Amino acid sequence: MLWGEGFPLGDNVMAVIPVAQIIYPDGTNLEGVGVKPDQVIELEKDDLLNGVDTQLQAAVDFLRSTINR
């Protein structure tokens, strides 16, 4: 996870150049690691081909459950 500066190259095109690395006070660096999810939802090709996005559905279900509390 890097901080970047954007430079327009033309219509609807921009280059983003990393200019700083973010390291948290406890030494945590997210570069190359990312944020670990609380819940892993597999995304299967066959599900997608059948019009089922398991990750999207899990996100919708989670949001609905938080709204209805």
Side-chain angles (χ1 to χ4, degrees):
M1 185 162 107
L2 302 173
W3 188 264
E5 292 288 329
F7 301 94
L9 299 177
D11 293 339
N12 301 317
V13 178
M14 179 175 278
V16 178
I17 308 298
V19 295
Q21 184 174 22
I22 298 172
I23 299 176
Y24 290 93
D26 67 358
T28 302
N29 178 357
L30 298 180
E31 178 64 22
V33 177
V35 177
K36 293 182 178 142
D38 294 331
Q39 184 178 13
V40 176
I41 307 296
E42 298 297 328
L43 187 60
E44 301 291 336
K45 180 180 176 182
D46 289 339
D47 288 334
L48 289 174
L49 291 172
N50 289 312
V52 177
D53 184 332
T54 53
Q55 293 176 337
L56 176 61
Q57 190 58 52
V60 170
D61 292 344
F62 173 78
L63 291 173
R64 284 188 176 145
S65 73
T66 61
I67 291 171
N68 296 325
R69 287 185 182 178

